[in-house]
């Protein structure tokens, strides 16, 4: 989740990868969370689809030395002939807070429960410049290099939140999240405004600042400037996302936050 409009480092210095010392620290305001979203169709760009609906749960557990993430999404698409296509995906990661490694697993099943996607492995930061490698257990015996400055998902979240606080216009760090067997993707994150505490969809968020962002994901192996996927959201400093828009190309979904729980941290005191 790599093609870029501009080749930049994490902190906006053209042509220079972010050194390991510049990678964002995860000792931030990020917290554990349990969030449930309802997905609703908001735009169609094809006549092959007539409707779509879904649900997504997103949970983060603070493991003190790392973050455990689980995401479960069910998406049902109504085709022009009236048939329904159901996709169920499960995504699980464990990301060390020191940024050195991340394990991941992604599965996706179709209408009949048949496995369509099965990716798993472990990624490491091995270079002083933030470079690394990923070892896939599925597909078996696959090893890929990660480019300098590559961030894992929670690092990526912290980077864009830091950029919002610093009133940057955009950042463009490579991202490896385990959802693409081609390795790291390029991302272009546009900052659409930073706001202090105030109006929020949940009382737990009302006292927290937030940043509005638009994120485009590109294939690094081609020169295509069309994003493979695009999303926008309001990101709060604790890592909770609201006002999600998910652009799948042929159609666009909005995700409404229906339920949020922020569990107490087991690591304090």
């Amino acid at each position: 989740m790599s093609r870029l409009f501009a080749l930049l480092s994490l902190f906006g210095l053209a042509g220079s990868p972010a050194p390991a010392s510049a990678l964002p620290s995860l000792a931030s305001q990020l917290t554990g969370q349990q969030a449930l979203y309802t997905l609703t169709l908001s735009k169609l760009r094809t006549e092959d689809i007539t409707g779509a609906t879904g649900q997504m749960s997103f949970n983060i557990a603070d493991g003190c030395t790392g973050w455990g993430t689980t995401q479960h999404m069910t998406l049902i698409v109504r085709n022009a002939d009236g048939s329904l296509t159901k996709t169920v995906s499960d995504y699980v990661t464990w990301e060390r807070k020191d940024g050195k490694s991340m394990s991941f697993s992604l599965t996706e099943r179709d209408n009949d429960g048949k496995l369509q996607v099965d990716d798993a492995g472990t990624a490491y930061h091995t270079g002083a410049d933030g470079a690394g490698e990923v070892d896939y257990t599925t597909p078996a015996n696959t090893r890929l290099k990660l480019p300098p400055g590559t961030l894992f998902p929670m690092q990526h979240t912290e980077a864009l939140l830091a950029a919002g606080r610093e009133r940057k216009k955009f950042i463009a760090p490579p991202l490896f999240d385990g959802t693409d067997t081609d390795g790291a993707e390029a991302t272009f994150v546009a900052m659409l405004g930073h706001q202090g505490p105030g109006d929020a969809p949940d009382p737990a968020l009302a006292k927290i600042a937030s940043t509005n962002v638009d994120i485009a994901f590109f294939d690094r192996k081609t020169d295509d400037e069309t994003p493979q996927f695009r999303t926008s959201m309001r990101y709060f400093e604790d890592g909770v996302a609201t006002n999600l828009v998910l652009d799948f190309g042929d159609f666009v979904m909005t995700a409404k936050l229906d339920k949020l729980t922020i569990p107490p941290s087991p690591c304090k005191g």
Side-chain angles (χ1 to χ4, degrees):
M1 309 165 313
S2 279
R3 295 145 236 151
L4 286 177
F5 301 126
L7 207 45
L8 305 170
S9 76
L10 175 60
F11 295 101
L13 303 176
S16 173
S21 59
L23 294 178
S25 169
L26 295 186
S28 64
Q29 298 183 50
L30 298 181
T31 66
Q33 60 175 283
Q34 298 167 5
L36 183 65
Y37 300 87
T38 295
L39 307 181
T40 305
L41 181 68
S42 60
K43 182 182 293 186
L44 279 173
R45 299 193 182 101
T46 177
E47 295 181 354
D48 296 330
I49 296 173
T50 59
T53 187
Q55 189 176 67
M56 178 177 68
S57 63
F58 183 70
N59 300 323
I60 297 177
D62 187 348
C64 301
T65 60
W67 298 102
T69 301
T70 60
Q71 177 181 299
H72 177 82
M73 184 169 72
T74 300
L75 183 63
I76 300 174
V77 174
R78 185 175 66 247
N79 304 303
D81 62 2
S83 65
L84 298 177
T85 300
K86 180 180 179 181
T87 302
V88 178
S89 63
D90 286 282
Y91 174 61
V92 180
T93 69
W94 171 259
E95 181 178 340
R96 285 178 52 168
K97 289 186 179 180
D98 62 12
K100 291 183 178 180
S101 67
M102 181 192 78
S103 60
F104 60 92
S105 172
L106 172 67
T107 61
E108 184 176 297
R109 298 181 182 275
D110 62 13
N111 287 19
D112 301 319
K114 184 178 180 181
L115 195 62
Q116 298 295 320
V117 176
D118 184 11
D119 300 333
T122 303
Y124 307 89
H125 279 139
T126 58
D129 57 358
E133 61 186 24
V134 51
D135 287 321
Y136 289 88
T137 54
T138 310
N141 303 317
T142 301
R143 174 175 289 180
L144 297 175
K145 296 294 185 181
L146 297 177
T150 297
L151 302 181
F152 298 144
M154 295 296 281
Q155 288 180 312
H156 194 267
T157 297
E158 176 57 22
L160 68 86
L161 289 172
R165 289 192 297 270
E166 296 165 12
R167 306 301 195 271
K168 293 182 181 292
K169 298 298 184 183
F170 58 87
I171 59 172
L175 168 69
F176 180 79
D177 60 6
T179 63
D180 191 329
T181 54
D182 289 331
E185 295 172 285
T187 68
F188 188 91
V189 186
M191 308 300 159
L192 305 179
H194 182 79
Q195 51 195 312
D199 182 54
D202 188 279
L205 305 175
K207 297 182 179 180
I208 305 174
S210 61
T211 298
N212 294 315
V213 299
D214 185 291
I215 310 173
F217 301 83
F218 301 87
D219 184 349
R220 292 181 57 254
K221 295 184 177 181
T222 72
D223 295 325
D224 187 358
E225 294 185 352
T226 301
Q228 290 183 311
F229 180 72
R230 188 171 180 177
T231 181
S232 62
M233 67 197 72
R234 181 184 179 187
Y235 244 135
F236 287 82
E237 291 289 336
D238 60 357
V240 174
T242 66
N243 301 350
L244 278 93
V245 177
L246 310 174
D247 190 338
F248 294 95
D250 285 344
F251 61 98
V252 180
M253 306 285 286
T254 58
K256 178 181 177 293
L257 179 63
D258 289 327
K259 185 178 180 180
L260 174 66
T261 302
I262 304 293
S265 172
C267 312
K268 296 179 180 179

